[in-house]
Amino acid sequence: MVMTNLTSHGLAILMTLFIAGSFLSAAELSGIIHPVALTLLRFIGAVIAFSPVILTIPKHRSAIKKVLPKSLIISLFYSVFFLCMFKSLETTTALNTTALYTLVPFITAVLCFVFFRETISGYMLNAYTMGTVGAMWVIFKGDINTIFALSLNNGDLYFLMGCFSMAGFSIAMKTLYQGESMPAMVFCTLIGGAIWMALVLIFIGQPLEIDKIRETDYFHILYLALFATLFSTLIMQKITVQLGPTKVMAYVFMTPALVILLQFVLQGQSINSPIYPGIILSVIATFYLQKVSTNKVKST
């Protein structure tokens, strides 16, 4: 069991790294095609890549019919998050949405209290506060005046709804999974995401516009489809069942720091010393939350 938990936490860090990398690829693709169309391509690419694994193994293939209805619900939460993000960015900034995204671990804990009666101890509240402060310190590059100047508008309210949906995505996986084929459930979740995004494109009358994609863009689309969508969804659904939504979502605090690290490694951007305290605080809060969550479970 110890090795299983250590492996799950290692996978959680890997998943967070994949998600951090998606910010860099998404930035490269920004403005080329509609964000909903881009998300649809992410899901379609992931489905195509995963199809040989699912369709050639009888036990996974036979589970599709059983898990598809559940997966459509799970993928709906994921899709609503993206829709709220796209809507919010019409009237707010990426900086605001990134800051609000650090609230997802706390929102997840609240929903776990509502649905699973998991209590939120004072130690956990301290960890959430520490993680949020650390992540925002990284986002705003240690500029306290900018942090206090953060103002919210209607776009931020849309994204806040999306944050609740992302937390619901994790809760739905924990609730609906009942020992079925995990690969089949992930496959159907990806299909569900493609269905929801295709319906949105039809509803808003937006063409896919594949012709606008440049040859150099396909690397980033492939990364988003495989690493930020397929592998991340596989890992998230697996470790959420093992660790629970609260512990998994705690790794959100490390996302801004990992984005900075990837920019340093891949793009040669320097890491400014004022953000070091935020990086350290984010990491401490993430692992502290794992510890206090474990202690809480043992004591109940």
Side-chain angles (χ1 to χ4, degrees), residues 42-62:
R42 289 176 61 169
F43 281 121
I44 291 176
V47 168
I48 293 173
F50 205 31
S51 291
V53 176
I54 300 300
L55 300 180
T56 58
I57 300 178
K59 68 175 183 178
H60 297 329
R61 187 174 65 246
S62 61

Side-chain angles (χ1 to χ4, degrees), residues 201-240:
L201 282 182
I202 293 171
F203 179 77
I204 65 177
Q206 173 65 40
L208 201 54
E209 299 180 318
I210 296 181
D211 57 298
K212 291 185 177 181
I213 301 175
R214 304 161 301 193
E215 288 186 10
T216 54
D217 296 329
Y218 282 102
F219 168 81
H220 296 288
I221 292 176
L222 189 63
Y223 176 86
L224 291 175
L226 294 182
F227 293 92
T229 304
L230 174 56
F231 295 153
S232 293
T233 305
L234 273 169
I235 293 172
M236 179 175 281
Q237 297 204 179
K238 180 179 179 62
I239 64 177
T240 297

Side-chain angles (χ1 to χ4, degrees), residues 103-143:
L103 296 175
V104 170
F106 178 70
I107 294 172
T108 303
V110 171
L111 292 180
C112 283
F113 170 76
V114 173
F115 291 101
F116 306 132
R117 296 304 177 193
E118 293 185 5
T119 57
I120 305 175
S121 67
Y123 293 109
M124 293 179 70
L125 284 175
N126 290 337
Y128 289 126
T129 302
M130 188 189 310
T132 301
V133 170
M136 291 186 68
W137 189 275
V138 174
I139 293 165
F140 292 100
K141 297 179 172 57
D143 189 340

Side-chain angles (χ1 to χ4, degrees), residues 50-96:
F50 205 31
S51 291
V53 176
I54 300 300
L55 300 180
T56 58
I57 300 178
K59 68 175 183 178
H60 297 329
R61 187 174 65 246
S62 61
I64 290 177
K65 184 177 180 181
K66 181 178 181 181
V67 302
L68 184 58
K70 296 180 180 181
S71 299
L72 286 173
I73 297 173
I74 293 171
S75 62
L76 178 60
F77 285 102
Y78 202 29
S79 301
V80 167
F81 168 76
F82 282 114
L83 293 176
C84 288
M85 180 176 68
F86 301 149
K87 181 65 177 177
S88 70
L89 289 173
E90 293 177 359
T91 53
T92 192
T93 65
L95 202 60
N96 279 29

